[in-house]
Amino acid sequence: MRSSRCIFLLFLLCFGCLEPYTPPISYAGSNALVIDGYVDANGNAFVKLSRTLPIDSYANFPVEAGAAVTIQSSTGENFTLTESKPGEYAAANLPIVNQTTNYKLHIKTSANLEYESDDVQVHSTPVVGRVYFQTSATGESIEVKTDSRDTDPNATGYYGYESIETYEYHSSYFSRYKRIDGVPHLRVRGEFVDTCWRDERIPIVLASTKKLSTNLIFGKVISILPKQSPKISMRYSILVKLRAMSEHEYNYRAQLAKTNNGQNSIFAEIPGAVLGNVHSVTNPDEFVFGYFWGQEVEQHRFFIENSELPFEFQAEPPLGQGCDLETTCPVNAPVEGPSQCIDVVLLSDTKILISSFEFQNFVVYTFTPNECGDCRIKGGTTQRPWYW
């Protein structure tokens, strides 16, 4: 049991812990294989292979490169995945015909270690129904919800939403100037850095209709947007991705989420080994983590304009902390006595020029920290999405 707990903690690190933690245990046999992959109804397959590290290591997780990765179908076909970049294997245009065929992942590493998955199927997925938003019961956030109905008589009753949020946001200030070798130059169209768009993946949201009289998913919350969230400061979009899954995968992901979400609580369950559906052929006692699944994905894009929100959600975001404007010394002005201003040419690279004005016939520039005038600092891009 002790080693199982330790190995599970290694698995948590592979998928991203909330904060660094060094437990009072160690596992000398770290280096377990981690699999994340799928085959889908459109004939695409993708598998990512990596290895675990010791608990107290802060190195990047090593990828499993140079492996032979294949998918075998119950109809006798063999599909080979090509390594697109180290540790990532893909294939396209596979003849995935129907939802009754089984598929099995097979891996042979460069060290001649072999692994295979249990059989998986590509389950039929219903279309994404209505997507809408409502104010939460507390009035402090916006809840994005969806309704969907599965009319397939062979429906699994188990579903997962893996959505992507995209939102437009602005920097606190519009920067009119860039600097080249310290010298201010007016920005031209295509160089503005006040408007950005950012994508964020939402962790999988699980839903089940097994205890319901009908296969209806009603009012499922897939995203929560607090007041003054930058996501709803201008325009927000969510690409809702729905897929049906097997009961085994549903239970696996539910247990994984339950264990992950509780790790910051003293009331959390003691972690155990949450193992997926891949095992070692070479050594049946070896721990293997991750999951290989079949999928048919249905998707729907939904937009929210800030002007559509309740009035209390339309307030402009507050000025960021430390975003006060400062001024440079007047350009080319003669120095008269001690001064605490700074020459624009000597301005730090951590500052961005905002605007200029005349002072006693000399030009003075205003500046602020980069994060207040360059929206890219917060992870976005100035490239407008094609669907915007």
Side-chain angles (χ1 to χ4, degrees), residues 76-96:
E77 295 170 299
N78 242 328
F79 309 128
T80 299
L81 279 66
T82 302
E83 190 167 15
S84 53
K85 67 179 185 178
E88 295 186 4
Y89 305 81
N93 300 317
L94 304 180
I96 308 301

Side-chain angles (χ1 to χ4, degrees), residues 72-79 95-98 100-103:
Q72 302 165 348
S73 75
S74 58
T75 56
E77 295 170 299
N78 242 328
F79 309 128
I96 308 301
V97 179
N98 55 55
T100 61
T101 304
N102 292 330
Y103 298 92

